[in-house]
C-alpha cells in the first residue's frame, strides 16, 4: 500500500513539474505557432541557475531562487523571441530549427559552465520532515510541488480567462489577423507570452531541482515528455496541458517503477490512442 | 554538360583512395554514409514537405537490429542486414501511420517524440541494447568473399551503395509518383480533389525513406563496428536535417554537399574545440538566418545569373 501511495505522489509531483513545462510550451504554440524546442533547455537552465544561486549566495532559499531564476529565464526567452524569432515570422520551419539550435547552445553552455556531474538542489529545511496523514508518511516537498503546480494552473487560468490581457491572448489564438485588425497589440503579446512561458519553465526547473537535481541531459529527458503532454492534451489548451501532464506523470512514474526497461514504450500508448482517435488532442481546438 | 561533369566527379570519387591517406578515405566514407542518410531524409523534407526531426530512428534502429541479430541471434551479417532492413521498414510503416495523422509542426513534434522513445529504449533496455555501454565487437560483411576491413575497400563498398542509392532516389523523384509527391507538398487539397490518395503517397514515401535510412544505418554500424544510443539522439536527427537544409532541400545534390560540409566541420572543429554541440547550434542559426535556401540552390542562382540573367 505504501508503495502505491508513494508512487502515486511521485506521479503527481512529476505531473506538476511537467505542467510547469508544458503549459508554457502549449501557450507559445497556441498563440505564435512556434514549436519552441528550447523549452527543455529553459527548464534545465532554470535548474542550474537555481542550484547555483542557492549554493553560492547566502540567504537565498528555494522560493527566492525560483522567482529570480524565472525572471532571468523569462528575459532570456524575451531576447530570443525579439532578436531571432522575430526575423523569421514568415518561416515557421526556420523558427523551429532556430529554437533547436538554441537548445544545443544552451545545453552545451550549461555543460561547459557546470560540468558533467549532477548538481543536487537541497530541499528546504522546513520541508524535509515527512508529512504524516492517515497513518502514512508523505514526502512533504512533493506535496508542495503539486500545490505549486495547482496554484500556477489557477493563476494561468485566471490570467487567460478573467483578465483583459487574457482575452487578447485568446483572441490572438483564435484569429490572429482579426485580432490585429481591431487593434490588439499582437506583437507585444507574442513577446509577453514567450517570456511568460520561458519564465514558468525556468522556475519549474528550480522547483524540480530537489527532486531530480540539475544534470546534463535534463533537457533531453524533459522535452519529449512535454511534447507528449502537448500532443496528448491538445496544443494551445491549458486544460489539456494540465490533464496531459498528470496522465504522463502517472504513466511514466509507474512505468519506471514496474517495468523500468520499457517505461519509454509505455509512454507511447496513450499518445497512439489519442492520435488515432483525436488527432487534435483531448482538449485541442486547433490542429497541430 | 551536366552528365560529363557528373561522370568526372564520379571518376574522381572512384580513384580517390589511390592517392589519399587513410584519414581522408575514412572521412570520405563517413561523408557518403551521412549523405545517404540525408538524401533519404530529403525525400520527406524536400520533396514531401514533411519535416521530420526523428529520422535517426531509422538509422539507429537498423544499426541496433543488425547488431542484435548478429550477436544475440547468431545470424550471418548478410541475413541480418536483410532482416534489419525489413524490420526497420515495418517500424517505418507503424511510425508513419502515427506521424502522418499530422503535417507541418505536428508531424515534426510526433516524429521527435517517437525517436526519443526509441532513444530512451536504447538507454534503458539494457538486456537487449547493453544500455550506455553500447554494443561492440561487430563485424563487417564480406560480399563475394572480399574483405572490407581495409579503409579503402570499405570506401569503395560505400561508394557503390551510394551511387545505387543516388540513382534510385533520382528515379524515384522524377517518376510520376515523385511528381505526385511534390503535388502533395505544394497543394495537398487539390491533389486529393484530383483523386490522389495524399495519405498513401506520403506513407509510401515515409517507408521508402525508412528503407534508405536503414541502409545508411547498416553502413554506419559496419563502419564503426559499434553502436551507442547517441546514434538515436535528437542531435543525430538534427545533424541530418541540417545537412539537408544547408545543402538545399528538394535538390538531389544538396544533401551530399550539406553532409560533406557537416562531417568535415565536425572532424576538423573537434580537433580544435571540444564543444561540437554548441558549434552545431551556431551553424543552425547561421544557415537559417543567412542561407535559408541552402548552398546548392544559392550557387545555382548565382551561376544562372552569370550565364545570362534568367533564373
Amino acid at each position: 500500500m505504501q508503495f502505491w501511495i508513494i508512487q502515486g505522489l511521485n506521479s503527481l509531483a512529476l505531473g506538476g513539474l511537467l505542467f510547469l513545462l508544458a503549459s508554457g510550451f502549449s501557450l507559445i504554440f497556441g498563440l505564435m505557432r512556434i514549436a519552441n524546442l528550447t523549452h527543455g533547455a529553459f527548464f534545465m537552465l532554470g535548474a542550474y541557475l537555481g542550484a547555483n544561486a542557492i549554493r553560492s549566495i547566502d540567504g537565498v532559499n528555494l522560493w527566492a531562487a525560483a522567482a529570480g531564476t524565472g525572471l532571468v529565464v523569462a528575459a532570456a526567452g524575451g531576447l530570443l523571441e525579439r532578436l531571432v524569432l522575430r526575423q523569421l515570422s514568415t518561416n515557421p520551419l526556420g523558427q523551429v530549427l532556430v529554437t533547436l539550435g538554441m537548445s544545443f547552445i544552451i545545453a552545451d553552455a550549461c555543460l561547459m559552465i557546470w560540468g558533467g556531474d549532477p548538481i543536487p538542489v537541497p530541499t528546504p529545511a522546513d520541508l524535509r520532515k515527512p508529512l504524516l496523514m492517515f497513518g502514512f508518511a508523505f514526502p512533504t516537498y512533493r506535496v508542495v510541488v503539486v500545490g505549486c503546480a495547482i496554484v500556477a494552473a489557477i493563476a494561468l487560468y485566471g490570467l487567460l480567462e478573467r483578465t483583459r490581457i487574457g482575452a487578447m491572448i485568446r483572441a490572438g489564438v483564435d484569429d490572429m489577423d482579426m485580432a490585429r485588425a481591431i487593434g490588439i497589440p499582437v506583437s507585444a503579446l507574442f513577446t509577453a507570452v514567450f517570456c511568460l512561458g520561458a519564465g514558468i519553465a525556468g522556475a519549474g526547473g528550480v522547483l524540480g531541482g530537489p527532486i531530480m537535481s540539475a544534470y546534463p541531459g535534463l533537457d533531453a529527458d524533459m522535452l519529449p515528455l512535454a511534447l507528449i503532454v502537448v500532443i496528448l492534451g491538445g496544443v494551445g489548451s491549458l486544460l489539456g496541458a494540465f490533464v496531459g501532464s498528470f496522465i504522463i506523470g502517472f504513466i511514466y512514474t509507474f512505468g519506471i517503477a514496474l517495468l523500468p526497461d520499457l517505461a519509454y514504450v509505455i509512454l507511447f500508448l496513450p499518445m497512439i490512442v489519442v492520435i488515432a482517435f483525436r488527432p487534435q488532442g483531448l482538449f485541442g481546438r486547433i490542429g497541430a | 554538360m551536366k552528365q560529363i561533369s557528373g561522370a568526372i566527379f564520379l571518376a574522381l570519387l572512384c580513384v580517390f583512395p589511390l592517392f589519399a591517406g587513410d584519414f581522408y578515405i575514412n572521412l570520405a566514407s563517413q561523408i557518403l554514409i551521412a549523405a545517404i542518410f540525408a538524401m533519404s531524409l530529403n525525400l520527406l523534407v524536400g520533396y514531401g514537405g514533411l519535416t521530420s526531426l526523428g529520422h535517426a530512428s531509422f538509422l539507429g534502429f537498423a544499426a541496433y537490429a543488425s547488431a542484435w541479430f548478429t550477436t544475440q541471434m547468431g545470424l550471418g551479417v548478410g541475413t541480418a542486414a536483410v532482416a534489419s532492413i525489413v524490420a526497420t521498414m515495418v517500424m517505418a510503416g507503424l511510425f508513419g501511420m502515427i506521424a502522418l495523422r499530422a503535417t507541418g509542426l505536428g508531424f515534426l513534434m510526433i516524429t521527435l517524440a517517437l525517436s526519443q522513445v526509441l532513444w530512451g529504449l536504447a538507454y534503458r533496455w539494457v538486456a537487449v541494447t547493453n544500455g550506455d555501454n553500447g554494443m561492440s565487437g561487430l563485424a563487417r560483411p564480406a560480399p563475394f568473399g572480399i574483405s572490407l576491413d581495409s579503409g579503402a575497400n570499405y570506401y569503395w563498398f560505400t561508394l557503390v551503395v551510394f551511387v545505387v542509392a543516388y540513382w534510385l532516389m533520382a528515379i524515384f523523384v522524377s517518376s510520376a509518383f515523385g511528381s505526385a509527391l511534390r503535388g502533395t507538398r505544394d497543394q495537398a487539397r487539390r491533389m486529393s480533389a484530383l483523386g490522389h490518395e495524399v495519405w498513401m503517397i506520403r506513407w509510401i514515401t515515409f517507408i521508402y525513406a525508412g528503407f534508405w535510412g536503414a541502409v545508411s544505418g547498416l553502413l554506419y554500424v559496419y563502419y564503426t563496428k559499434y553502436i551507442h544510443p547517441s546514434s538515436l539522439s535528437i542531435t543525430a536527427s538534427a545533424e541530418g536535417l541540417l545537412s539537408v537544409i544547408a545543402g538545399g532541400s528538394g535538390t538531389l545534390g544538396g544533401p551530399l554537399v550539406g553532409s560533406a560540409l557537416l562531417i568535415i566541420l565536425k572532424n576538423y572543429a573537434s580537433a580544435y574545440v571540444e564543444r561540437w554541440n554548441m558549434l552545431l547550434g551556431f551553424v543552425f542559426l547561421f544557415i537559417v538566418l543567412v542561407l535559408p535556401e541552402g548552398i546548392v540552390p544559392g550557387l545555382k542562382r548565382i551561376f544562372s545569373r552569370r550565364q545570362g540573367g534568367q533564373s
Side-chain angles (χ1 to χ4, degrees), chain B residues 23-224:
Chain B
F23 174 79
Y24 293 99
I25 295 172
N26 285 334
L27 195 64
S29 301
Q30 286 179 40
I31 290 174
L32 291 177
I33 296 167
I36 297 173
F37 178 67
M39 275 164 20
S40 71
L41 177 59
N42 187 32
L43 295 177
L44 292 171
V45 177
Y47 295 99
L50 297 162
T51 307
S52 160
L53 248 181
H55 207 62
S57 312
F58 303 135
L59 184 149
F61 186 85
Y64 264 107
S66 161
W68 189 76
F69 281 132
T70 50
T71 57
Q72 310 284 317
M73 303 291 286
L75 294 185
V77 182
T79 329
V82 176
S84 312
I85 289 177
V86 171
T88 310
M89 288 172 75
V90 170
M91 187 194 72
L94 292 174
F95 276 20
M97 278 192 224
I98 303 168
L100 288 170
R101 299 283 295 190
T103 54
L105 291 179
F107 178 81
L108 184 142
M109 294 197 317
I110 296 172
T111 50
L112 173 57
L114 290 174
S115 79
Q116 287 294 99
V117 168
L118 281 188
W119 171 80
L121 204 57
Y123 254 110
R124 306 266 155 79
W125 202 4
V126 179
V128 171
T129 65
N130 208 13
D132 197 16
N133 293 323
M135 299 173 87
S136 54
L138 310 171
R140 285 178 185 174
F144 313 113
I146 304 165
S147 163
L148 297 180
D149 282 328
S150 82
N153 279 3
Y154 195 69
Y155 168 82
W156 276 312
F157 174 69
T158 311
L159 183 62
V160 169
V161 179
F162 171 79
V163 170
V164 172
Y166 187 94
W167 180 58
L168 287 179
M169 281 193 240
I171 290 176
F172 179 85
V173 297
S174 60
S175 68
F177 188 88
S179 313
L181 178 65
R182 279 195 297 276
T184 65
R185 173 191 66 191
D186 298 332
Q187 293 288 349
R189 202 170 287 181
R190 281 187 205 171
M191 287 301 284
S192 128
L194 285 170
H196 289 276
E197 293 250 22
V198 171
W199 190 88
M200 188 56 81
I201 292 172
R202 287 179 174 155
W203 192 58
I204 291 171
T205 309
F206 197 84
I207 296 174
Y208 190 59
F211 169 77
W212 286 114
V215 170
S216 70
L218 291 177
L219 288 175
Y220 174 80
V221 75
Y222 296 154
Y223 174 78
T224 55

